[in-house]
Amino acid sequence: MELTRENIIKVAHLARLEVPDERLEPLRQSLSQILDWIEMLNEVNVDGVEPMFSVNQEQMRRREDVVTDGGYAKDIVANAPGGAQYDMFSVPKVVE
Amino acid sequence: MNELIKLNLSQARDKLLKKDFSSVELTSAFIKQMEETRGLNAFITETPELALEQAKASDKRIAAGSAGIMEGIPIGMKDLFCSKGTLTTAASKILSNFIPPYESTVSQNLKDAGAVSLGKTNLDEFAMGSANITSAYGPVENPWKKQGDNAKLVPGGSSGGSAAAVAARSCMAATATDTGGSIRQPAAFCGLVGLKPTYGRCSRWGVVAFASSLDQAGPMTHTIRDAAIMLEAMSGYDPKDATSIDISVPNYESLLTGNVKGLRVGIPKEYQVDGMRSEIMDVWHKGVEWLKQAGAEILDISLPHTKYALPTYYIIAPAEASSNLARYDGIRYGARIEGEDLTDLYEKTRGQGFGNEVQRRIMIGTYVLSAGYYDAYFIKAQRVRRLITKDFTDAFQKVDCILTPTTPTAAFSLDNPPTDPVEMYMNDVLAVPANLAGLPALSLPGGLTSDGLPLGLQLVGKSFDEVTLLNAAQVIETAANFQGQVTQMRKAS
Amino acid sequence: MTTYIEGATGPWEVVIGLEVHAQVSSNSKLFSGASTEFGADPNSQVSFVDAGFPGMLPVINDFCVRQAIKTGLGLHAQINELSVFDRKNYFYPDLPSGYQISQFKHPIVGEGHLNIDLPDGETKAVRIERIHLEQDAGKSIHDQHPSKTFIDLNRSGVALMEIVTMPDISSREEAMAFVKNLRSLLRYLGTCDGNMEQGSMRADVNVSLRRPGAELGTRAEVKNVNSIRFMGQAIDFEVQRQMEILEEGGTIVQETRLFDPVRGETRSMRSKEEAHDYRYFPDPDLPPLRLKPELIEEIRKTLPELPEAKKTRFVEKLGLSPYDAAVLVSDAEFADYYESAIAAIKQQDDKAPKLLANWITSELFGAMNRDNLTISESKVRPEGIAELVDLITAGTISGRIAKDVFLQMWESGESAAQIVKEKGLEQVSDDSAIRVCIEQIMAANAGMVDEYRSGKDKLFGFFVGQVMKAMQGKANPKLLNDVLKEMLDGK
Ligand SMILES: [Mg+2]
Ligand SMILES: [Zn+2]
């Protein structure tokens, strides 16, 4: 699968990764190569085979509806880049 | 070199309980060694003061007769396990200032068992790599060298710091994690025992996630007995991890019998991959012989989808990672690079905070999940994954465990590692099938290359049957007498 | 029943589908043990899981699962024994993990329906496509700083049920009726408090137009409408907007729009319109959710009588009008009040249930509206209003007097019997006392009596009024009527 520059730009934006211009071509090449190699899977006949998303997972345990967590706003915001204000995180203004 | 650091874990434990020396003495010896081997870059963060405090507490518990199963043993902690109050980086710039306000379940279990943590070991960034060269804190050097050649070698990855530190005796054992060979491959490269338990055996809570359906923590040690002890300390059902399994943890050490009489061991023909060196084949054959001599029954088996495991892995793992790593956005913790607006902040923070390999995998993962490609890549891979798992299920009708080499090569040059990503990924070609199927797998040193580098043998077992792996491995360990092989080779040269 | 809107170029059919987000009533969040209580200090009800910290993992709340099942059963829906949680991936500051845990391919509840009443008295079944469980996001606060948006994650991880209808709704009235009925149902079930002001319920409204019988048109989705009134306004605006575009030969753009309550209009959210690609995939942190049939049956047994069944019973067994019955069942608290009152009635009388319904829907609701009180705040309790009705059916007081008694009960909280006794309001049902009074009135108005007798029947009311006035309204009206007629007719 040969990816285009546009593919790379689009995927990088979806993943919120800034890719400098000079990195575009090497990235395009290596990703194309990896995808080419992955195409090997086309040889495998998977007709009627269910996807397997996880292992050993017959039953999901469920917890009781009890408040056991929270109540530590200071810990939540302790690592906030640039510090917290009013115990909240901040980002550049989002216009809706 | 202080004699104390030459001991293995079970020996040190016995002597600590007999009060031949204290944990403070033992820990001090390792702290000194950690300092002396700093050139390997095996640790990102050293915590000697904390270690000595913990050692003091251990000595008190030993004196009080309330020692845990790893009481006073100094270990290294892969810097993927969140440690409350201690910098935890995942070897990434994006977490360069992250102090977790919580402790991972596995590291807490180890603390509760009395283990003393010397610091946080280096790794490939977010555990993505097979040579420990993607760390934002610089590469780790393997303490092993080829005979007569001073060139630096890689320790393998992603748990390269843990492997180098144990091999250099800067800690007695170390934690590691294995998503696609990240415990076993570095263990093989550094002449150690590395055990990836069954998926669900060790809690993933508080471990920085790479690929959630594959990640599993495990021990890296000098001996099989050490691995058995440490596995017991790390394991256990955790209600905070919905994928953790509620099966009681056996006392693995007490179940070590060294007996493999009648054990059926499968040898899969598909594990003889292209370009595998004859030395590796030789060690594999020796492994077969050792088990046979101990009374095991050797059977040829087929795992027909083996060659598809690696490309399958390189769809599933990056897909999960692309989503798991979305939380590193510079808003709540970690590094932030300001931007003109929110999108710019995201893209700069992530573009500059993640290294190239991590970005490459996020890109692959994002691509294979995106509209129009999801079925062709992601779903297809999950179907092939079922076939790979079925190969094992079928094989385990006939055999009790499977013996293979761990890696297709020995440790390679640190200064000239493969630049081609697919070539690098091939390191894990023999390791990833066990991750995809969630099976326990163990690597132990089996022999040496002609130029004196360790080679690993891998055992793969049935779900939650780590005991069989440990017993088969112990037979090989005894027969191989790896330390003896090393001494002999060094004498000969 | 399909209603059409007459445009300049012909009739249009309005097609509406709703996606209602209803907050599950629960103590703790869907995947963490943090509290869900409303109005707490910023980030005080946030666990490291809710804030998307490294290595944190979700564990599902069993009660939220049961609540979703209960809701599904209340909507006569299929409960899926196997459902799967997926990650919906997108970047937004109030979404800490970079993905929302939701259910995409395999929701917990499948197809069902909810009936609504149409103005012509018919009922219409609006089909439910699915209900899935998902996490709410945090809150972005834009107005506290000139150049920054603040993020409070208290809501992050709170359990929501997304209830999705088929495009079966064809007018603003139907849409509003649907949401009202749904809210009432959820309150009956106790699965959502339906509190739209606090954001416990909000709707995404999908609106499109088509020519009668034609293929579905392109829709616009109006996001996060948080009151029933706003929903009506948003639909009106959208219908007008789309009709104008279509009649001028234009095309509707499929897009997300935002309702502006101040201007009463919707506008395009172009800033958010960049190509979305949510990359849904099963959350590898959460095994599939498997439900045992026994659990579903266990929950089915706990279902209360639902509004529709209750309404039918009120009409068929108690003889209420469909309208009164609908008003009383529209809110579980009204229905409970009414049924408690019925239970407290002592006087055997077939008219009592109907009379009670009238007193509740007219006098009680009137007083509640006037004083802006809820039914639970009313000093007149069910037993009190039952006593009042007993006094009426027993003939102790007249309906007219009862209105005054009710007002005093409403103000003072005193019992009806007490008020009647203290003020001597008992009805006079004594034949002779009434006759004496009528004789006096007839004597004083001899001319009028003659007029009446010469055929001016209308004057009957005048005499009733005069006698009532003289007897301070206490005359038994039926008796008064009978006796007055007899005496005026001179028999
Ligand atoms: Mg929606
Ligand atoms: Zn939703």
Side-chain angles (χ1 to χ4, degrees):
Chain A
M1 177 87 198
E2 193 64 25
L3 295 173
T4 62
R5 246 177 102 89
E6 287 64 43
N7 289 147
I8 300 294
I9 291 168
K10 195 184 146 208
V11 173
H13 178 64
L14 254 183
R16 296 293 185 276
L17 294 169
E18 178 189 65
V19 180
D21 280 350
E22 69 277 12
R23 286 264 307 137
L24 275 175
E25 184 51 25
L27 204 48
R28 191 191 69 74
Q29 280 178 21
S30 74
L31 292 187
S32 298
Q33 187 204 349
I34 293 165
L35 289 172
D36 263 343
W37 167 67
I38 284 172
E39 311 260 291
M40 187 202 306
L41 296 188
N42 291 341
E43 297 166 17
V44 188
N45 180 355
V46 291
D47 291 351
V49 180
E50 278 298 303
M52 178 179 150
F53 297 110
S54 56
V55 289
N56 304 330
Q57 306 294 318
E58 294 323 307
Q59 197 45 263
M60 175 161 70
R61 280 168 182 279
R62 311 200 280 265
R63 41 166 255 279
E64 272 183 69
D65 182 31
V66 184
V67 176
T68 55
D69 213 342
Y72 42 74
K74 298 275 180 260
D75 283 344
I76 292 291
V77 298
N79 279 281
Q85 271 167 297
Y86 316 112
D87 285 344
M88 289 189 279
F89 303 106
S90 69
V91 293
K93 195 157 198 116
V94 184
V95 204
E96 280 198 335
Chain B
M1 197 190 273
N2 190 310
E3 289 302 312
L4 291 184
I5 64 171
K6 293 183 184 165
L7 299 168
N8 60 43
L9 192 160
S10 63
Q11 292 166 335
R13 174 202 54 189
D14 295 345
K15 289 177 188 293
L16 279 167
L17 293 181
K18 280 195 288 176
K19 304 191 182 65
D20 287 358
F21 47 79
S22 68
S23 174
V24 169
E25 288 171 272
L26 184 68
T27 302
S28 304
F30 276 105
I31 289 171
K32 186 154 177 285
Q33 178 73 355
M34 178 167 71
E35 283 163 5
E36 279 169 14
T37 57
R38 225 172 242 161
L40 300 175
N41 199 26
F43 285 85
I44 290 175
T45 306
E46 297 177 0
T47 55
E49 296 85 6
L50 268 176
L52 285 170
E53 254 172 58
Q54 290 172 355
K56 265 180 219 153
S58 276
D59 285 332
K60 276 192 197 139
R61 282 191 293 269
I62 292 169
S66 59
I69 66 168
M70 284 188 62
E71 199 64 65
I73 303 293
I75 60 168
M77 189 66 67
K78 187 175 182 178
D79 203 16
L80 205 60
F81 294 85
C82 289
S83 332
K84 189 171 182 172
T86 299
L87 180 69
T88 298
T89 67
S92 182
K93 229 158 68 177
I94 213 159
L95 281 178
S96 53
N97 53 7
F98 176 59
I99 315 269
Y102 46 86
E103 183 79 28
S104 83
T105 298
V106 162
S107 53
Q108 186 63 48
N109 286 349
L110 284 163
K111 271 190 177 173
D112 293 346
V116 169
S117 176
L118 291 164
K120 309 294 295 285
T121 59
N122 206 339
L123 65 150
D124 279 300
E125 185 180 3
F126 282 102
M128 296 178 191
S130 308
N132 215 126
I133 54 177
T134 71
S135 168
Y137 300 86
V140 176
E141 192 186 329
N142 192 332
W144 289 79
K145 300 241 188 287
K146 285 184 188 168
Q147 288 222 306
D149 183 347
N150 231 352
K152 291 179 182 171
L153 300 173
V154 300
S158 66
S159 313
S162 290
V166 178
R169 298 197 176 265
S170 332
C171 57
M172 195 151 248
T175 57
T177 62
D178 192 318
T179 306
S182 281
I183 295 177
R184 291 158 287 158
Q185 184 252 17
F189 279 15
C190 295
L192 300 171
V193 174
L195 172 55
K196 179 200 94 73
T198 310
Y199 183 81
R201 176 86 287 183
C202 289
S203 169
R204 296 184 296 111
W205 193 88
V207 187
V208 175
F210 163 13
S212 311
S213 79
L214 303 162
D215 294 346
Q216 191 57 203
M220 203 174 283
T221 59
H222 289 290
T223 72
I224 295 298
R225 181 172 300 274
D226 294 358
I229 295 167
M230 190 161 167
L231 175 63
E232 185 186 337
M234 293 171 75
S235 298
Y237 169 64
D238 182 1
K240 290 187 286 190
D241 174 0
T243 63
S244 147
I245 311 279
D246 192 0
I247 294 181
S248 65
V249 181
N251 179 336
Y252 292 109
E253 190 185 9
S254 72
L255 297 172
L256 289 176
T257 58
N259 184 354
V260 292
K261 274 207 177 62
L263 188 77
R264 299 166 304 165
V265 180
I267 309 299
K269 60 171 188 278
E270 292 84 1
Y271 276 59
Q272 193 181 324
V273 296
D274 292 345
M276 194 140 96
R277 289 173 58 178
S278 63
E279 291 163 317
I280 301 222
M281 292 298 293
D282 290 346
V283 173
W284 193 5
H285 290 145
K286 276 186 198 151
V288 169
E289 280 311 306
W290 292 325
L291 286 172
K292 210 189 271 179
Q293 277 161 21
E297 189 188 340
I298 307 296
L299 294 153
D300 286 328
I301 57 165
S302 172
L303 300 168
H305 296 91
T306 299
K307 79 167 192 181
Y308 303 110
L310 202 58
T312 297
Y313 173 86
Y314 273 96
I315 292 172
I316 295 170
E320 293 183 11
S322 70
S323 175
N324 282 335
L325 271 59
R327 66 189 59 199
Y328 307 104
D329 57 8
I331 295 180
R332 280 149 292 114
Y333 48 77
R336 170 191 288 198
I337 313 244
E338 297 292 346
E340 286 164 23
D341 56 19
L342 180 64
T343 302
D344 197 37
L345 178 151
Y346 279 141
E347 295 189 345
K348 283 203 163 73
T349 297
R350 293 166 56 80
Q352 295 172 39
F354 292 132
N356 285 348
E357 182 60 25
V358 170
Q359 293 195 40
R360 176 149 60 204
R361 297 204 197 184
I362 291 175
M363 296 274 290
I364 295 172
T366 304
Y367 183 78
V368 300
L369 287 176
S370 65
Y373 301 99
Y374 179 78
D375 288 330
Y377 288 104
F378 187 69
I379 293 295
K380 173 91 189 210
Q382 299 287 20
R383 291 187 206 277
V384 178
R385 180 182 193 179
R386 188 170 295 280
L387 294 176
I388 291 163
T389 304
K390 189 173 174 299
D391 284 355
F392 281 108
T393 315
D394 293 347
F396 285 130
Q397 303 291 317
K398 287 176 273 178
V399 300
D400 303 308
C401 67
I402 294 167
L403 178 71
T404 78
T406 308
T407 56
T409 68
F412 46 86
S413 158
L414 175 59
D415 297 314
N416 300 298
T419 50
D420 176 309
V422 175
E423 193 186 334
M424 184 63 102
Y425 299 165
M426 289 307 285
N427 268 289
D428 296 313
V429 66
L430 307 176
V432 295
N435 296 88
L436 290 170
L439 298 170
L442 171 159
S443 176
L444 81 163
L448 294 161
T449 60
S450 56
D451 43 13
L453 293 182
L455 291 171
L457 281 171
Q458 173 177 242
L459 285 153
V460 182
K462 297 177 189 172
S463 271
F464 293 97
D465 190 14
E466 282 84 358
V467 172
T468 296
L469 290 190
L470 290 164
N471 274 315
Q474 206 178 31
V475 166
I476 297 175
E477 181 180 53
T478 308
N481 183 17
F482 180 68
Q483 218 36 60
Q485 291 188 45
V486 174
T487 316
Q488 208 176 4
M489 174 166 276
R490 288 193 180 147
K491 245 188 251 161
S493 68
Chain C
M1 190 184 82
T2 315
T3 47
Y4 299 111
I5 296 200
E6 222 35 65
T9 59
W12 293 98
E13 184 186 342
V14 179
V15 179
I16 300 169
L18 298 176
E19 293 163 30
V20 179
H21 283 93
Q23 179 181 334
V24 177
S25 296
S26 66
N27 298 320
S28 62
K29 294 182 178 178
L30 182 55
F31 294 112
S32 91
S35 168
T36 58
E37 214 163 303
F38 181 78
D41 289 340
N43 288 315
S44 65
Q45 294 182 164
V46 179
S47 75
F48 297 121
V49 178
D50 309 318
F53 270 59
M56 292 299 97
L57 297 172
V59 181
I60 199 163
N61 182 335
D62 179 57
F63 185 67
C64 294
V65 171
R66 288 167 183 261
Q67 292 283 63
I69 296 171
K70 205 172 183 184
T71 304
L73 293 174
L75 288 165
H76 316 283
Q78 164 77 35
I79 308 299
N80 293 322
E81 285 175 24
L82 175 77
S83 67
V84 175
F85 286 93
D86 296 287
R87 292 185 181 178
K88 178 181 183 179
N89 295 283
Y90 65 95
F91 287 90
Y92 205 69
D94 62 16
L95 186 72
S97 301
Y99 55 83
Q100 177 197 30
I101 305 179
S102 181
Q103 296 189 300
F104 183 54
K105 258 194 165 166
H106 304 284
I108 182 164
V109 177
E111 290 183 22
H113 68 268
L114 179 66
N115 287 340
I116 54 171
D117 292 320
L118 301 182
D120 64 1
E122 295 285 301
T123 54
K124 171 174 177 173
V126 174
R127 289 170 302 159
I128 304 294
E129 186 186 309
R130 58 185 279 157
I131 304 175
H132 62 256
L133 275 169
E134 63 183 23
Q135 300 174 297
D136 204 350
K139 211 166 114 191
S140 299
I141 295 145
H142 304 294
D143 56 6
Q144 290 196 8
H145 192 281
S147 63
K148 286 177 181 171
T149 291
F150 292 133
I151 313 291
D152 171 14
L153 297 177
N154 277 347
R155 285 195 71 92
S156 167
V158 166
L160 303 177
M161 294 179 280
E162 184 171 330
I163 302 163
V164 184
T165 76
M166 306 268 197
D168 284 355
I169 298 165
S170 43
S171 67
R172 75 193 292 263
E173 288 76 20
E174 287 183 22
M176 291 162 79
F178 177 86
V179 175
K180 277 184 198 155
N181 277 11
L182 179 64
R183 185 172 61 178
S184 149
L185 176 76
L186 298 176
R187 284 175 171 166
Y188 267 75
L189 294 167
T191 56
C192 169
D193 66 21
N195 205 330
M196 294 185 97
E197 305 76 59
Q198 294 181 1
S200 300
M201 236 177 114
R202 42 195 203 263
D204 298 342
V205 188
N206 291 287
V207 182
S208 66
L209 295 186
R210 65 170 167 189
R211 290 299 187 187
E215 294 280 294
L216 283 178
T218 306
R219 66 193 164 87
E221 181 178 12
V222 187
K223 280 273 182 200
N224 275 333
V225 182
N226 62 3
S227 92
I228 293 177
R229 194 163 57 91
F230 291 164
M231 189 174 72
Q233 292 175 6
I235 292 171
D236 284 345
F237 183 86
E238 265 309 296
V239 168
Q240 280 309 316
R241 184 185 73 86
Q242 294 188 18
M243 193 163 69
E244 275 166 32
I245 293 172
L246 292 170
E247 300 221 306
E248 281 164 20
T251 49
I252 304 299
V253 185
Q254 177 154 355
E255 62 178 352
T256 307
R257 300 177 69 84
L258 201 68
F259 179 69
D260 178 344
V262 180
R263 297 170 162 213
E265 54 185 50
T266 71
R267 65 185 145 79
S268 179
M269 297 170 73
R270 271 190 212 96
S271 59
K272 275 189 145 183
E273 272 313 291
E274 62 168 285
H276 276 307
D277 186 344
Y278 291 125
R279 290 159 286 136
Y280 283 100
F281 74 104
D283 190 332
D285 289 331
L286 292 163
L289 176 62
R290 290 175 209 276
L291 302 173
K292 295 206 173 81
E294 304 88 82
L295 174 72
I296 299 168
E297 286 319 304
E298 181 196 316
I299 293 169
R300 196 191 297 277
K301 285 192 194 114
T302 69
L303 288 189
E305 184 186 29
L306 297 180
E308 240 182 292
K310 209 181 265 290
K311 186 184 152 197
T312 307
R313 182 165 59 83
F314 284 1
V315 171
E316 287 175 3
K317 295 262 160 66
L318 301 177
L320 303 196
S321 70
Y323 179 81
D324 278 353
V327 171
L328 287 174
V329 303
S330 69
D331 185 320
E333 278 195 82
F334 297 168
D336 284 350
Y337 186 99
Y338 176 64
E339 298 205 77
S340 303
I342 288 278
I345 284 282
K346 295 203 180 73
Q347 196 73 25
Q348 284 293 329
D349 194 306
D350 291 347
K351 292 191 304 289
K354 232 175 122 62
L355 213 48
L356 252 184
N358 286 339
W359 276 88
I360 292 173
T361 56
S362 53
E363 299 306 312
L364 178 66
F365 286 3
M368 278 160 52
N369 272 339
R370 199 173 55 237
D371 293 358
N372 205 8
L373 292 180
T374 65
I375 200 160
S376 59
E377 290 163 344
S378 155
K379 281 185 197 154
V380 180
R381 303 314 307 149
E383 303 71 33
I385 206 159
E387 188 186 61
L388 183 67
V389 168
D390 274 342
L391 289 172
I392 299 168
T393 55
T396 312
I397 53 171
S398 68
R400 248 193 63 186
I401 294 283
K403 291 196 182 185
D404 297 335
V405 174
F406 176 83
L407 285 180
Q408 288 181 56
M409 291 166 71
W410 176 259
E411 293 304 332
S412 68
E414 271 182 289
S415 85
Q418 216 175 334
I419 294 166
V420 168
K421 202 170 154 217
E422 274 170 18
K423 309 227 155 153
L425 298 173
E426 286 96 340
Q427 184 162 259
V428 176
S429 299
D430 176 354
D431 191 285
S432 56
I434 293 176
R435 271 173 201 281
V436 168
C437 186
I438 292 175
E439 269 165 23
Q440 289 169 0
I441 298 290
M442 281 172 69
N445 300 280
M448 306 276 260
V449 172
D450 289 342
E451 279 183 50
Y452 175 83
R453 286 183 174 159
S454 60
K456 226 173 169 189
D457 288 2
K458 278 191 294 184
L459 286 171
F460 189 76
F462 164 79
F463 287 106
V464 171
Q466 290 298 307
V467 177
M468 267 298 181
K469 198 173 160 196
M471 295 186 72
Q472 292 157 298
K474 291 187 284 186
N476 179 324
K478 173 105 182 30
L479 194 62
L480 166 61
N481 256 304
D482 294 349
V483 175
L484 181 63
K485 189 143 185 31
E486 181 198 312
M487 289 173 71
L488 278 176
D489 289 354
K491 284 173 201 163

